Every structure is written in C-alpha cells, then in structure tokens.
Amino acid sequence: MAATSPLETSAAPVLPHRSRIALLLWFATQWLLIPLGFLCQVLMLLTGQSHVSEVLDPFRAFLSPYKLVLRLSRSRAWHERYLDREFARVARDIEQQRFSLRTRFHHELVPLPEPPAGPGRESESSTDTRTGVGLKPKGLGVRLKPRHYRGVPLDTLQRLAHAHHLEVGADTAQRLSFGISLFPRAGALRMTHTAADASQWGASGEHPVLPVLPRSALFLWFVVQWVVIPLEVVGRCLLLAFKLVADADGGNADGIDPRRAIARSTSPSSLAFQMSRDTAKRRTHLDRKVAALAEQLRTQRFSLATTVFHAPRWKVRRDSRGLTLRPRDYRGLPENTIEEIVSSHGLRVSGDGASLRIWEGQLWTELV
C-alpha cells in the first residue's frame, strides 16, 4: 500500500503549491515585468488612480533565488522552518508596535480587531472631545500574502502562530487565498519598550501617533529624490497640460498638481531633524512650525514654501483657508503633545476619523 503524504492526509484547509513551471517562468520574466509594473504604478499615481503606498507593490512580488529553491522543493519541514522564523520576527514587531523596513515592505499592516463592546466597556475606536475626530486604533497586526504559506495547512499555521503568542484572524479559513492576518493573542500585546523609550515619551508613557522612520529609509530617499522628484514633476506637468487641453474646465486637476511631488522633497536640514531621535528637538520643531503657520493663517498670506509644502485649501468660508500638516513634522510625538502645541497657537486639528493617520489632516483657524 502506497504511503500518503502529510499534505494529502491533512483535513485542514491548505493552498496548493504553484506549478514549478510557473515559478521558473516568473523567475525568468520578473526582471522585465517588475520594472514595467513599477512604471505603470507611477503613471497611475500621477493620474490619481493609485495611492503612493501601492507604488512599490510590483517589487514585493520579487522571487529571490532562495525562495525559488524553497518553493520548488515543496518540502513541508523547510516551509515550516521558514515560517517559524518569519512569525518570530513578525511577533516581535507586533509586540513592540515597531515594524521593521522588511516587515513593512513584504507584508501589510492592518488594524487590530476591536473587542466586542459590552456594558461599561468603551470601544477601542473612541472620539476625542476636543477635536471631534476619531482616534487611531490601539495597535496594528500583520497580513501575510498567500505566497508565504502555500502548501502549509491552516492548523500548522495556527500552531506556529500560537508558539509566538500570535493568533490567526477568525475569517482566515474562508479567505486563505486573500492572505492571513496575525494578531497578538489576548493579553499578549505588552508593548514592551526600554526605559529610554518611556522617558522620551514623557511621564505618561504614551506612544507616538506615528513612529519615526528608519534612518536607512530616510537616507535612501534623500539620495534617490534628486532623480525621482524631477522625473515626477515633468510627468505631472505633461499630464496636467494634456488634461487642460482635453478637458476645458480643468476639473479635478489637483490630483496631478506638480507641487505634490516637490512637497515630498527632503532638505539636508530636514534630513538631520528627521534622523534625530530627540523628542525635545521634535517638540521644538513642531512648535516653531505651527507658530509660523498660525501667523500666516491669521493674515491669510502664504509664502511660496507654505503653498508648496502645506497645500492651502478652502474651508467653511471662501475667505478662509487651512493648511496641511505633514506627517514628518509630528512623527514620534504623542497626540496630547501635538494637541497642546497646536492649541497654544490658537489653532485646532481636524482630520479623517476613518484614517489611521488622523493627524495627517489640516490646520484650521477657529471659526465662530
């Protein structure tokens, strides 16, 4: 009697492996298809049909020689060892709520599911009474793409996740082909940080609205921006000219405004500020920034730099405009610190309650 493989005897749901021919074909053609996909994403971004976070999606499909050999082997034990290492790293990132560049690049960050509301228990997604906007969820989990666990049954994935104090999303069994979500097990999100981190965040120990970016990512962008931004500006200008010719009323041209590309540029002084981990420097920077913007908001006279980097927009009345506060100006600061600084200059913050980046909104003067 022929022996059956563990894959055939397992009753748990499992996604089948990709064909070896398909894997080899993709490995050979990816060197051409991925750059073409990147160019298509850039064009879609410039025309407003895509989001900036989707530009690097084609590169996330890259198949390295190691992973090619791993997937060609179809070895259950080898796949489990690979996933065990991956889950260990992801669990550490989720526990600390500090996600490495590798995690952010290869996986998707998703909000932690809210606990069921009960008597005397408020929902995790509360509303700030001073600003009237929804506060961000208390943490993030990680979603893995199906390519990471093809050929591994769901019960094995759950066992590996539990070994690292994680749990798999409740709807995963029906949605394996869409990816699996990993969350901390009940009570496992301890938010362990060093004493130095706590002292940086202040006596309250509150976590920043947005974490600071890795220094490697900041420096990499500072290097490549000198090529990327001019190309994007030229592309946006061409698209804007085409739209104005093709569409006489010029409606919805804001999405391809060339100033949006320039607003992402980083000067040497801004690079030095963003690479700093000194909370006091970040508070001082935000205080000076908001003070300068507040004066311009009161006079409604905006400098060229403010027009480019803070995008004045109409609000409430046609004679009053607000300003956009960029995330790099407040990364690493807790929300109460941001509110305190903004309100000290006679301003308030408004934002989108459905967005995780609730402070990536606009600064408006109080209108009574």
Side-chain angles (χ1 to χ4, degrees):
M1 182 175 177
T4 57
S5 67
L7 213 62
E8 295 172 346
T9 59
S10 175
V14 58
L15 280 183
H17 288 286
R18 293 290 189 190
S19 163
R20 290 188 175 97
I21 296 177
L23 288 171
L24 290 171
L25 182 62
W26 170 250
F27 184 77
T29 59
Q30 67 178 348
W31 311 99
L32 175 64
L33 296 180
I34 289 179
L36 289 177
F38 171 71
L39 292 177
C40 291
Q41 285 288 350
V42 170
L43 291 176
M44 293 176 64
L45 174 65
L46 296 179
T47 56
Q49 301 178 25
S50 180
H51 190 268
V52 66
S53 62
E54 300 173 355
V55 172
L56 293 179
D57 281 352
F59 292 102
R60 295 187 174 99
F62 174 73
L63 184 61
S64 66
Y66 169 78
K67 290 183 179 179
L68 173 66
V69 177
L70 168 64
R71 295 174 188 176
L72 288 176
S73 70
R74 298 188 179 180
S75 169
R76 173 86 166 271
W78 191 358
H79 274 80
E80 288 189 23
R81 289 196 300 270
Y82 163 75
L83 285 173
D84 186 64
R85 294 193 301 270
E86 193 73 8
F87 282 13
R89 183 178 56 79
V90 168
R92 183 170 59 252
D93 287 2
I94 293 177
E95 181 182 25
Q96 298 178 353
Q97 287 293 287
R98 289 183 173 184
F99 298 94
S100 65
L101 187 62
R102 179 177 175 181
T103 299
R104 290 177 179 274
F105 184 83
H106 290 287
H107 307 303
E108 178 185 356
L109 304 185
V110 293
L112 295 183
E114 294 186 10
R121 183 172 188 174
E122 296 181 356
S123 172
E124 292 288 336
S125 180
S126 58
T127 301
D128 192 299
T129 56
R130 287 174 289 178
T131 61
V133 299
L135 299 180
K136 66 186 181 69
K138 298 302 182 182
L140 296 172
V142 172
R143 183 187 297 277
L144 272 64
K145 299 291 185 181
R147 58 175 172 265
H148 294 286
Y149 55 83
R150 283 187 174 275
V152 180
L154 178 59
D155 55 359
T156 301
L157 295 175
Q158 292 172 333
R159 174 173 57 82
L160 293 172
H162 288 175
H164 296 287
H165 306 287
L166 297 173
E167 63 182 19
V168 179
D171 61 342
T172 294
Q174 294 77 28
R175 299 172 59 86
L176 275 179
S177 58
F178 293 92
I180 63 171
S181 298
L182 298 175
F183 303 114
R185 296 176 65 182
L189 187 57
R190 296 187 293 273
M191 306 294 284
T192 56
H193 298 279
T194 63
D197 295 331
S199 64
Q200 282 187 344
W201 291 331
S204 63
E206 293 191 28
H207 303 289
V209 171
L210 285 178
V212 293
L213 295 174
R215 290 188 175 97
S216 57
L218 291 170
F219 186 75
L220 178 61
W221 169 247
F222 180 76
V223 173
V224 303
Q225 69 174 348
W226 308 103
V227 176
V228 173
I229 291 180
L231 291 176
E232 184 177 348
V233 169
V234 172
R236 285 177 177 268
C237 289
L238 293 175
L239 286 172
L240 184 60
F242 175 78
K243 184 172 181 61
L244 292 176
V245 171
D247 186 4
D249 59 10
N252 195 27
D254 182 68
I256 52 178
D257 191 336
R259 292 178 298 180
R260 289 195 169 191
I262 301 175
R264 290 198 291 273
S265 62
T266 300
S267 66
S269 59
S270 178
L271 175 67
F273 154 70
Q274 293 184 64
M275 294 184 74
S276 170
R277 297 300 186 260
D278 189 342
T279 305
K281 288 184 179 179
R282 293 182 173 273
R283 287 176 56 97
T284 302
H285 167 82
L286 182 62
D287 186 67
R288 291 175 179 173
K289 174 72 70 174
V290 174
L293 297 180
E295 181 62 28
Q296 296 186 43
L297 279 168
R298 279 188 282 271
T299 61
Q300 289 291 296
R301 294 179 180 178
F302 304 106
S303 65
L304 178 61
T306 300
T307 302
V308 172
F309 290 96
H310 298 284
R313 300 184 187 279
W314 296 106
K315 177 73 172 181
V316 184
R317 298 197 309 258
R318 292 294 295 176
D319 60 347
S320 176
R321 288 187 291 177
L323 297 174
T324 301
L325 189 62
R326 299 294 179 181
R328 61 187 173 198
D329 292 321
Y330 54 81
R331 282 186 177 274
L333 294 176
E335 60 191 37
N336 63 339
T337 300
I338 300 173
E339 287 181 356
E340 177 186 347
I341 293 174
V342 171
S343 61
S344 67
H345 295 283
L347 302 175
R348 64 183 173 88
V349 177
S350 66
D352 183 2
S355 173
L356 287 178
R357 296 183 176 183
I358 60 172
W359 300 109
E360 194 176 5
Q362 286 79 32
L363 286 176
W364 310 111
T365 54
E366 286 286 3
L367 301 176
V368 294

